[in-house]
């Protein structure tokens, strides 16, 4: 074992997995850019206060922050999520609204590492600031849905709820607190502690012992005023219009005071419950204000890359891309000709790799096979002298051909059109 390995909860992403990650982000960018979202790139680190404003009562903020004092005496933190940063950016730059942005990248949380849970993990997400319209809520949900479809996932479930307007929510919270206090003996000790901080978050409990008391708890739907009910109805109608199936889950709450109206979550159809939350989001008010900006409506979601890829594995879709070069150059004359040929091929848009260290023909051919390239170009001293190269297909039935050196590019293009690409395994 070498002395150093990555820290717990961190990972080294090697090829071909790294190609899968990049492709994941690329598909996401395509989906949301096609709907008018531009990429925002928040810094990896912010003043601690940016994250504290967002969720003083959450585990993410109280227990999981990678915060430290920098050499200038500033109390900063690696970002545990991106919504807070996006709101801080909005407050600082005041872009024209509605501001539709997406992001992709790592976040950091000091959590207990386990399957699908890491200390550095990637998310993709969108936020829209400065617009309040149920059809925007539908657009946001539909984009996440479209993304899952593009990955090939067919078993993702959309759970939907509305937290109502602030007033509705406040009355609901009071009623919930009263109900749980009347039933304290039926609540797990952990949930009793949660109750003292935020009764809504008790509904998040996945503990089996809490199931019965949660099942009888008051439901938010009975607290909706006319506005909230009409708004929720419009969101459901919009989703139905687009053919997006959903299940209403009245226990789907977001504990922070900022959240109101639409909330949603995506669950993998095949994963067990500890990893089945692929992502989620909702509508919020007041975040931008709390960061010094104007009163601004917001809605967004964040989707976790790891759990989504686990769901892809379970459904057998979106595998690691089979990245291979088009051509592998074998040169037994010292390597300078390979240098020229690879440069010429790459300049013509043909991807090319080569062997180094002037190894034997046999060893270089092994490298060619391992590269997965469909074609090898072989140069020996005879070819070099006579102005020829050999093009050898590495898979399938075709036989090798000698071609004049100065027709190399056109001959390679021709050969690539007929060469079988996929390695037969
Ligand atoms: P959150 O930002 O907590 O609402 O999480 C949104 C999504 O990010 C979750 O549904 C997960 O898919 C993913 N996620 C959150 N925390 C982690 C973590 N520690 N490791 C891997 N994925 C995570």
């Amino acid at each position: 074992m070498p002395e150093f390995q990555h820290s717990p909860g961190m990972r080294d992403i090697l090829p071909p997995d790294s190609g899968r990650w990049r492709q994941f982000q690329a598909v996401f960018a395509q989906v949301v850019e096609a709907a008018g979202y531009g990429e925002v790139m928040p810094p990896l680190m912010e003043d601690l206060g940016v994250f504290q404003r967002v969720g003083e009562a959450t585990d993410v903020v109280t227990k999981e922050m990678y915060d430290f004092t920098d050499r200038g005496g500033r109390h900063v933190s690696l970002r545990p999520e991106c919504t807070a940063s996006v709101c801080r950016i909005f407050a600082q730059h005041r872009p024209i609204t509605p501001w539709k942005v997406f992001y992709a990248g790592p976040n950091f949380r000091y959590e207990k590492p386990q399957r699908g849970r890491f200390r550095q993990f990637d998310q993709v997400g969108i936020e829209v600031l400065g617009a309040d319209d149920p059809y925007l809520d539908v657009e946001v949900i539909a984009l996440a849905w479209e993304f899952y479809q593009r990955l090939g996932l067919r078993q993702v479930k959309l759970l939907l709820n509305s937290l109502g307007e602030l007033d509705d929510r406040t009355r609901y919270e009071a009623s919930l607190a009263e109900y749980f206090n009347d039933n304290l003996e039926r609540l797990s000790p952990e949930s009793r502690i949660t109750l003292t901080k935020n009764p809504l978050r008790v509904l998040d409990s996945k503990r089996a012992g809490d199931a019965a008391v949660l099942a009888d708890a008051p439901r938010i739907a009975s607290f909706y005023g006319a506005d909230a009910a009409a708004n929720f109805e419009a969101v459901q109608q919009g989703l139905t219009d687009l053919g997006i199936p959903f299940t209403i889950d009245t226990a789907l709450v977001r504990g922070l005071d900022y959240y109101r109206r639409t909330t949603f979550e995506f669950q993998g159809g095949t994963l067990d419950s500890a990893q089945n939350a692929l992502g989620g989001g909702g509508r919020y008010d007041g975040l931008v204000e709390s960061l010094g900006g104007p009163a601004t409506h917001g809605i967004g979601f964040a989707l976790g890359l790891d759990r989504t890829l686990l769901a892809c594995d379970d459904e057998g879709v979106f595998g690691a891309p089979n990245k291979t070069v088009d051509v592998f150059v074998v040169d037994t004359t010292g390597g300078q000709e390979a240098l020229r040929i690879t440069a010429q091929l790459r300049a013509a848009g043909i991807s090319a790799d080569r062997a180094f260290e002037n190894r034997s023909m046999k060893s270089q051919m092994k490298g060619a096979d391992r590269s997965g390239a469909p074609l090898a170009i072989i140069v020996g001293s005879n070819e070099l002298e006579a102005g020829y190269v050999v093009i050898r297909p590495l898979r399938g039935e075709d036989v090798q051909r000698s071609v004049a050196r100065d027709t190399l590019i056109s001959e390679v293009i021709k050969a690539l059109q007929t060469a079988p690409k996929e390695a037969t395994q």
Side-chain angles (χ1 to χ4, degrees):
M1 274 293 178
E3 185 184 354
F4 292 113
Q5 300 186 16
H6 59 65
S7 311
M10 305 281 166
R11 283 161 297 164
D12 306 317
I13 312 298
L14 277 59
D17 283 345
S18 47
R20 198 181 186 202
W21 282 44
R22 184 139 62 99
Q23 191 64 17
F24 182 93
Q25 295 186 342
V27 171
F28 185 74
Q30 272 167 19
V31 168
V32 296
E33 281 183 335
Y37 290 70
E39 182 164 14
V40 61
M41 297 181 174
L44 285 182
M45 205 178 76
E46 299 264 3
D47 282 344
L48 180 69
V50 172
F51 306 115
Q52 282 176 330
R53 296 284 156 80
V54 174
E56 258 136 347
T58 63
D59 283 356
V60 171
V61 171
T62 52
K63 297 192 221 142
E64 297 170 1
M65 296 265 257
Y66 272 91
D67 65 308
F68 60 97
T69 306
D70 74 8
R71 286 163 197 266
R74 250 168 192 255
H75 199 170
V76 292
S77 176
L78 298 185
R79 67 185 190 203
E81 51 120 55
C82 288
T83 306
S85 298
V86 171
C87 290
R88 196 269 307 147
I89 291 171
F90 182 88
Q92 183 173 341
H93 298 271
R94 305 282 173 99
I96 291 169
T97 56
W99 196 49
K100 295 173 51 164
V101 290
F102 75 97
Y103 57 79
N107 299 317
F108 302 84
R109 295 183 193 172
Y110 198 80
E111 297 196 80
K112 192 161 170 257
Q114 51 189 281
R115 185 170 188 252
R117 190 171 289 281
F118 302 93
R119 289 181 175 169
Q120 176 176 336
F121 62 97
D122 262 52
Q123 285 182 336
V124 294
I126 63 179
E127 307 292 341
V128 184
L129 292 170
D132 184 15
D133 182 325
Y135 297 125
L136 174 59
D137 301 19
V138 176
E139 170 173 301
V140 165
I141 295 172
L143 286 171
W145 189 258
E146 162 75 11
F147 175 55
Y148 292 131
Q149 301 304 303
R150 290 278 292 275
L151 293 177
L153 289 169
R154 295 292 176 266
Q155 298 190 41
V156 173
K157 287 195 205 93
L158 164 60
L159 303 181
L160 184 70
N161 194 21
S162 168
L163 295 174
E165 300 297 337
L166 201 54
D167 276 0
D168 309 337
R169 206 188 123 138
T170 310
R171 282 185 294 119
Y172 177 54
E173 270 168 351
S175 151
L176 211 50
E178 192 183 328
Y179 166 79
F180 286 134
N181 278 314
D182 289 347
N183 290 277
L184 264 189
E185 71 292 347
R186 295 167 66 199
L187 273 182
S188 65
E190 294 87 347
S191 289
R192 277 182 227 165
I193 296 172
T194 312
L195 176 60
T196 60
K197 296 186 197 150
N198 188 333
L200 272 181
R201 298 201 64 216
V202 177
L203 295 178
D204 275 342
S205 165
K206 305 266 190 292
R207 287 174 209 96
D210 286 329
V213 65
L214 292 190
D216 298 337
R219 300 275 173 239
I220 179 76
S222 3
F223 293 81
Y224 295 151
D227 284 354
N231 191 281
F232 196 26
E233 182 56 38
V235 172
Q236 295 176 56
Q237 192 56 56
L239 289 170
T240 306
D241 269 3
L242 298 185
I244 299 175
F246 60 87
T247 307
I248 293 184
D249 178 357
T250 51
L252 184 66
V253 293
R254 308 214 129 210
L256 304 183
D257 289 345
Y258 298 110
Y259 287 98
R260 62 181 199 119
R261 292 188 184 163
T262 311
T263 59
F264 53 94
E265 189 175 292
F266 297 97
Q267 289 191 346
T270 52
L271 303 172
D272 55 41
S273 65
Q275 294 100 25
N276 80 353
L278 306 184
R283 181 165 276 290
Y284 50 86
D285 272 351
L287 273 182
V288 175
E289 271 164 288
S290 75
L291 292 161
T296 308
H297 300 293
I299 179 163
F301 63 67
L303 313 179
L305 175 145
D306 295 292
R307 308 226 187 124
T308 309
L309 289 183
L310 282 177
C312 289
D313 291 342
D314 284 354
E315 290 200 33
V317 298
F318 198 70
N322 191 4
K323 286 264 182 241
T324 55
V325 288
D326 296 323
V327 176
F328 193 93
V329 181
V330 170
D331 172 8
T332 57
T333 69
Q336 193 177 11
E337 186 62 359
L339 180 73
R340 296 192 194 108
I341 291 176
T342 46
Q344 204 188 342
L345 288 165
R346 291 169 192 163
I350 300 165
S351 58
D353 196 1
R354 57 164 293 180
F356 290 100
E357 300 182 328
N358 201 25
R359 298 271 168 98
S360 68
M361 172 81 169
K362 193 170 159 210
S363 149
Q364 294 197 37
M365 284 309 296
K366 247 193 218 158
D369 278 335
R370 228 177 291 133
S371 77
L375 291 185
I377 290 172
I378 305 167
V379 191
S381 40
N382 292 346
E383 283 83 12
L384 188 61
E385 239 162 66
Y388 280 90
V389 295
V390 170
I391 299 184
R392 181 186 294 180
L394 293 173
R395 284 189 287 279
E397 308 292 300
D398 286 357
V399 287
Q400 67 180 42
R401 287 183 308 126
S402 291
V403 303
R405 173 70 176 82
D406 54 11
T407 62
L408 175 72
I409 298 296
S410 58
E411 290 293 340
V412 166
I413 291 173
K414 251 192 271 166
L416 280 173
Q417 279 160 356
T418 52
K421 287 232 165 42
E422 292 292 308
T424 38
Q425 281 165 1

